[in-house]
Amino acid sequence: MGFVSLGCPKNLVDSEVMMGLLDHAGARLTAYPEDAEILVVNTCSFIDTAKQESIDTILEMARHKTNGRAKKLIVAGCLVERYRDEILKSIPEVDAVVGTGELESILAAAGIAQPVGAASPFNIIATSAADKRSGQESLAGTHKRTAEHFHSVTPGTTDVQNEDSPKGRPEGDLREQQGRFSREEWQGAAHQLPTYLYNENTPRLLSTPRSSAYIKIAEGCDHPCTFCVIPNLRGKFRSRRFESIVAEAQQLVERGVEEITLIGQDTTCYGEDLGIKEGLATLLDALARIDGVRWLRFLYAYPNRITGRLLETIARHPNICKYLDVPLQHASPAVLKRMKRGASADIFLKTLEKVRAAVPGIALRTSFIVGFPGESLKDFEILEGFIQEAKFDWLGVFGYSDEEGSGAHVFDAKVPKRTIESRKKRLMKLQQSISKRAKQQWEGRELILLAEGESEETPLLWEGRTQFHAPEIDGKVYINDFGGLETLMPGRFYKAAITEAHDYDVVARIVSGPL
């Protein structure tokens, strides 16, 4: 079997779970699609470019079926949630589809029998009234054990709620009543939203380098952002059990993983549906205490949930990366209001000031959307001025994608594509100059880096990352001098001196290691 995983790290974890299920059931996996009898494409459909990449990849894999060895083609992921019927109708080479909430059905889709007597490797969240009543009892016991585990791994904490049942998230219920998760406009979409959560016992086959791994700590999203369809694709927000996450982290460390990245659509909401106060901060505190975790980070922080306790936790533990990814989306109050995000440039600047004061030297990453319906030149200039003042270490800019099913899809005053592209280029040129000045400040510093391997550009260079670089997202560290070492080992940590700075990347010389 061959797998192609597209999109975000959350999607990658889903792919690793499906590969783990297949491997556990006896399938043999290959990295070469031309050698595979069964091909799986795990798709993304967040924005237009992601959808097009997914379709192009499906068609590319379909050629292995018509002209090669492949006998079966399976399409999985977010594109299936939106266009289930259309995929099967328009691409006859596709034999089966697997949505984001039915990963376990990958076995049936591949024609592989479930191991005899095997229980479901997923925790299924109750959805109907009857399911909720029956699920309350098992969840109550789980929640009580979670609280006990909190105290065992984090002595002295008083933030765990010991009620007999989870509190739930009123926001999610309210959004559902308001139609936030509606799929009525999506042809062929399954009526029931995804409700599963994988756990520490779910088979999972890592596809990341041996030293690094992701842990998905939550699934779904309850936020009302009008540009986004992820809640429609992934369902309501739901946290994994605390003890399950800690157990998985310990298992990963035993397998040689030293860098753990926590992911979720909004990791800063972690634990709210379990009645856990300051859930992410407490989880980070526990994971940072696991012997063998060298780097620990989390991705995607909602700006109004960056608490003092969270920042204090990041600052206190040396193995929690001094890195924060806060997708702000815009800075104009008028645009943010239409996005149903709230806040303004001034509020964001105060938040960034608080973050930098609490965690000196922290690297900040954000992303913005340009061309949102109704975005005026004045709105854009407010965003441009904010970027100039905020001076982010890393920044991404996306052109607005008019997604069917999103709140903004019905908005008037759409911005022309040419204007969107022009504004996007203008912001990236601004950020290029900001980044270059910032990277010049790195020259002469000695930093710990993770060596990743030979550069794709030339075998004369190696590539690596520091704690200020998230995997596969930010710039690179190019290593052109091994110091006194004959070679480096991928996945090992070294001390390096930064010798040159460029727009987004830096060049380094190894000083010592491996560490």
Side-chain angles (χ1 to χ4, degrees):
M1 292 196 64
F3 247 86
V4 180
S5 188
L6 304 172
C8 65
K10 299 184 293 296
N11 222 33
L12 181 63
V13 171
D14 287 350
S15 294
E16 292 175 340
V17 167
M18 285 188 282
M19 288 190 291
L21 292 169
L22 291 162
D23 179 70
H24 188 65
R28 290 186 301 165
L29 291 146
T30 176
Y32 305 100
E34 61 271 16
D35 295 337
E37 294 184 356
I38 302 173
L39 289 165
V40 183
V41 181
N42 194 15
T43 60
C44 176
S45 67
F46 179 45
I47 55 178
D48 283 340
T49 53
K51 286 187 286 188
Q52 189 60 55
E53 182 186 20
S54 294
I55 293 168
D56 291 344
T57 304
I58 294 168
L59 295 175
E60 180 184 351
M61 293 302 108
R63 287 194 286 270
H64 290 286
K65 186 179 177 186
T66 54
N67 303 317
R69 186 177 179 183
K71 299 176 181 177
K72 185 172 288 189
L73 175 60
I74 303 167
V75 176
C78 293
L79 199 71
V80 172
E81 292 295 335
R82 299 190 67 172
Y83 306 107
R84 180 182 299 258
D85 292 350
E86 189 64 27
I87 291 169
L88 292 169
K89 177 182 176 182
S90 302
I91 311 177
E93 293 88 353
V94 175
D95 298 283
V97 291
V98 177
T100 60
E102 50 190 17
L103 301 190
E104 199 169 358
S105 67
I106 188 66
L107 296 176
I112 298 174
Q114 176 91 354
V116 177
S120 172
F122 299 104
N123 177 26
I124 307 299
I125 305 300
T127 53
S128 70
D131 288 340
K132 286 179 179 178
R133 285 194 296 272
S134 62
Q136 289 282 325
E137 299 175 6
S138 61
L139 284 169
T142 294
H143 187 62
K144 186 175 182 180
R145 291 192 301 274
T146 299
E148 292 169 352
H149 192 81
F150 256 113
H151 288 289
S152 68
V153 298
T154 314
T157 182
T158 58
D159 287 341
V160 179
Q161 307 298 313
N162 282 293
E163 289 89 344
D164 289 334
S165 61
K167 287 179 175 294
R169 269 179 59 84
E171 292 92 337
D173 296 335
L174 175 62
R175 304 290 179 232
E176 188 169 29
Q177 293 169 11
Q178 295 171 338
R180 178 66 176 114
F181 306 100
S182 173
R183 298 176 168 203
E184 292 180 4
E185 297 181 22
W186 292 359
Q187 182 183 15
H191 176 68
Q192 184 170 325
L193 289 166
T195 57
Y196 85 95
L197 284 167
Y198 85 100
N199 60 47
E200 77 280 13
N201 297 317
T202 304
R204 181 180 169 197
L205 201 62
L206 296 183
S207 60
T208 48
R210 182 175 180 272
S211 57
S212 302
Y214 295 102
I215 295 180
K216 191 189 294 190
I217 65 172
E219 184 60 275
C221 181
D222 295 340
H223 292 307
C225 309
T226 55
F227 55 81
C228 184
V229 295
I230 286 177
N232 311 66
L233 295 168
R234 295 275 177 176
K236 296 167 69 173
F237 180 86
R238 50 207 187 274
S239 301
R240 278 180 61 187
R241 291 181 298 111
F242 178 90
E243 59 188 354
S244 173
I245 298 169
V246 173
E248 184 179 15
Q250 292 170 331
Q251 292 169 4
L252 290 170
V253 169
E254 290 169 3
R255 295 166 62 178
V257 170
E258 295 184 79
E259 178 188 32
I260 291 175
T261 301
L262 307 181
I263 54 173
Q265 193 57 36
D266 178 3
T267 53
T268 46
C269 279
Y270 174 75
E272 289 183 8
D273 52 330
L274 301 177
I276 302 170
K277 184 180 178 182
E278 294 280 3
L280 179 59
T282 311
L283 178 62
L284 286 168
D285 187 64
L287 296 177
R289 297 169 187 265
I290 297 175
D291 188 32
V293 175
R294 189 187 293 264
W295 282 354
L296 174 64
R297 75 175 80 238
F298 64 96
L299 295 181
Y300 318 130
Y302 208 73
N304 65 0
R305 282 179 164 80
I306 301 173
T307 66
R309 167 77 181 279
L310 178 60
L311 295 174
E312 188 274 329
T313 303
I314 296 171
R316 184 171 69 251
H317 292 283
N319 60 345
I320 297 181
C321 295
K322 307 308 179 261
Y323 179 101
L324 192 63
D325 187 338
V326 192
L328 297 178
Q329 311 304 353
H330 215 279
S332 163
V335 175
L336 288 165
K337 184 177 180 180
R338 289 194 296 275
M339 288 180 169
K340 290 194 176 180
R341 298 277 294 189
S344 65
D346 290 341
I347 292 173
F348 287 155
L349 286 171
K350 289 177 182 177
T351 299
L352 298 179
E353 183 181 359
K354 179 179 75 171
V355 170
R356 285 169 167 149
V359 190
I362 192 169
L364 293 174
R365 179 179 181 84
T366 193
S367 57
F368 295 110
I369 296 172
V370 292
F372 188 80
E375 181 190 61
S376 66
L377 178 59
K378 180 181 178 182
D379 292 325
F380 175 75
E381 289 174 344
I382 290 173
L383 174 57
E384 191 174 36
F386 171 70
I387 291 172
Q388 180 70 61
E389 192 168 357
K391 293 181 172 54
F392 291 96
D393 297 274
W394 310 109
L395 184 149
V397 181
F398 297 89
Y400 170 74
S401 182
D402 199 27
E403 295 301 311
E404 182 183 1
S406 70
H409 184 66
V410 299
F411 288 1
D412 295 326
K414 296 292 197 298
V415 179
K417 289 186 177 181
R418 181 178 295 182
T419 303
I420 291 175
E421 192 60 30
S422 173
R423 290 176 180 179
K424 178 180 175 181
K425 289 180 179 178
R426 186 165 152 182
L427 290 188
M428 290 311 300
K429 185 175 181 180
L430 170 60
Q431 178 60 23
Q432 184 178 16
S433 63
I434 293 171
S435 177
K436 185 173 184 177
R437 288 194 297 271
K439 296 302 172 287
Q440 287 172 344
Q441 302 301 311
W442 287 35
E443 291 184 1
R445 293 178 64 184
E446 289 191 355
L447 300 169
I448 304 300
L449 64 78
L450 171 62
E452 295 187 299
E454 223 174 62
S455 172
E456 295 180 358
E457 297 181 11
T458 170
L460 300 177
L461 294 173
W462 269 51
E463 294 179 3
R465 291 186 290 110
T466 71
Q467 66 167 310
F468 308 116
H469 298 78
E472 300 182 348
I473 296 177
D474 303 314
K476 298 180 182 296
V477 178
Y478 289 104
I479 306 165
N480 67 350
D481 188 341
F482 291 0
L485 302 176
E486 291 186 9
T487 187
L488 303 180
M489 291 180 281
R492 299 297 296 272
F493 291 79
Y494 298 83
K495 180 180 284 188
I498 306 302
T499 57
E500 297 177 33
H502 299 279
D503 291 344
Y504 299 108
D505 307 318
V506 295
V507 179
R509 170 178 55 84
I510 298 299
V511 174
S512 62
L515 304 176

